[in-house]
Amino acid sequence: MSAHDTESSSSVDALAQQIAALLRKPSTTHGLARTLRAAAKEIDLHRHHSASQKAWPSGRVDHMPRKVQIGGGSHRIDGFFNIDAVPPADLLWDVREGIPLHDGTVRKLFSEHFLEHIDYPRSAKYYAREAYRVLAPRGQLITGVPDASFVLDPYPIGTSESTEMIRRWYGNRDCLADINTHLDLINYVFRDQDDDPKYNPHYWAYDYEKLVQLFTEAGFKRVERWDFDPEIASPKRQWGSVYVIATK
C-alpha cells in the first residue's frame, strides 16, 4: 500500500468516526442526521470497493466469466459470477465506477431491481456503456426494474392491483402505514425508503420505453421485452416489473 493510499484510508476512517459521533449526539438535527446516515452507507461501499481495487488496480480482474450477475444480493444464480457493492458476492465492486471485466468477454449479463438504485444520468448511462463494452458480439444484457407504468397508468384512483402491489412489495416493511394514497405508492416506487438502514433508495424510475432508449443510446442493436425465466430471475420480482433483453 502506498503512502497516498494509507493517508486516504485513514481520512475515510476518521470521517466515519466523526459521522458516528455526530449521529450519537441528541443535538444533531433530523436533516443532518439523514445526510450523515447516507454518507455512512457510502463509506461502507467505498471500503469494499477500495479493498478490491487494491487487488485489481487496473480495474480489470483476471477472471473472465461468461455469465455475470450485477447487484444480485442474496439472490444467487447458478453458473453466474456475481458482482455487487456489498456482501455476499464473488467480487465486491462498485459498478458506478465501471464494470471490472475485460472488453468483449461476457456472453450474458443479468441484473434485476438494481438499475433504479444508481443515480441517473451519470451512473446509469455509464453502466449501460460499460455493459456494452464487456459483452461479446451478440452478447445479451437482461435487465429487470420496477415498472413505473404499472403504478402511473391507474393514477390518481388506483386499482385492486395497487392494493396487491402494496401487499407484495411493502407488506413486511415498516412503511406500510405511510402508504395512504395511490400517490404515496408512486412515491415509494420512485424513491423507496431513502433513510432506512436496510434499504437503498431508488434514484430513478424506468418503464419499457426508457429502458429501450437507455440501452439503444449505449449502442445495443436490439432491445425488446424479455420472457421471464424463473431459473434466472427471482419469481418474487416478476409481478409489477418490466424486463428487457438488449443484444449487442
Side-chain angles (χ1 to χ4, degrees):
M1 181 185 297
S2 69
H4 179 269
D5 289 338
T6 302
E7 182 180 354
S8 177
S9 178
S10 298
S11 297
V12 170
D13 290 342
L15 178 59
Q17 291 172 6
Q18 290 176 328
I19 288 174
L22 282 169
L23 287 172
R24 288 193 296 267
K25 288 186 175 183
S27 59
T28 299
T29 59
H30 170 68
L32 178 58
R34 284 170 57 90
T35 300
L36 292 175
R37 283 189 289 266
K41 281 185 180 181
E42 287 295 335
I43 286 174
D44 285 340
L45 299 183
H46 172 81
R47 283 170 168 163
H48 291 313
H49 180 80
S50 294
S52 295
Q53 198 172 37
K54 289 170 187 173
W56 311 105
S58 69
R60 302 287 184 270
V61 298
D62 292 341
H63 188 48
M64 295 186 185
R66 299 302 182 189
K67 296 180 179 180
V68 176
Q69 179 185 17
I70 300 291
S74 60
H75 176 66
R76 306 297 298 273
I77 309 172
D78 289 342
F80 279 71
F81 184 78
N82 185 26
I83 301 173
D84 206 340
V86 294
D90 297 309
L91 176 65
L92 292 175
W93 195 274
D94 186 349
V95 297
R96 292 175 298 182
E97 304 301 313
I99 299 176
L101 302 174
H102 293 274
D103 296 1
T105 57
V106 178
R107 296 299 309 166
K108 185 173 290 185
L109 189 64
F110 177 86
S111 77
E112 62 180 341
H113 286 234
F114 153 77
L115 186 62
E116 69 274 15
H117 291 282
I118 61 176
D119 56 284
Y120 179 96
R122 188 270 186 193
S123 295
K125 290 195 172 188
Y126 185 40
Y127 168 74
R129 294 194 302 270
E130 281 287 277
Y132 184 86
R133 177 184 63 79
V134 303
L135 282 168
R138 295 179 296 281
Q140 297 175 325
L141 170 67
I142 301 169
T143 305
V145 293
D147 188 357
S149 68
F150 189 82
V151 291
L152 288 176
D153 286 348
Y155 177 78
I157 299 173
T159 65
S160 59
E161 288 188 334
S162 303
T163 303
E164 180 66 12
M165 186 175 195
I166 293 170
R167 184 188 70 80
R168 291 189 184 215
W169 284 17
Y170 303 103
N172 295 323
R173 302 274 194 95
D174 59 8
C175 65
L176 192 59
D178 299 318
I179 305 178
N180 309 123
T181 69
H182 189 72
L183 184 57
D184 290 331
L185 175 60
I186 291 172
N187 273 298
Y188 269 98
V189 171
F190 279 35
R191 302 165 186 261
D192 212 319
Q193 293 174 263
D194 68 334
D195 188 31
D196 189 295
K198 294 181 181 179
Y199 304 105
N200 289 320
H202 291 178
Y203 288 100
W204 208 255
Y206 296 87
D207 60 6
Y208 175 71
E209 180 184 15
K210 180 57 191 175
L211 291 175
V212 170
Q213 181 277 322
L214 177 68
F215 296 129
T216 300
E217 181 182 289
F220 287 89
K221 293 180 179 177
R222 186 170 70 252
V223 185
E224 53 198 343
R225 293 186 186 273
W226 181 64
D227 293 330
F228 190 89
D229 181 358
E231 295 297 318
I232 299 176
S234 173
K236 71 177 183 180
R237 300 291 195 190
Q238 181 177 9
W239 200 88
S241 299
V242 57
Y243 289 80
V244 300
I245 180 167
T247 304
K248 182 172 178 177

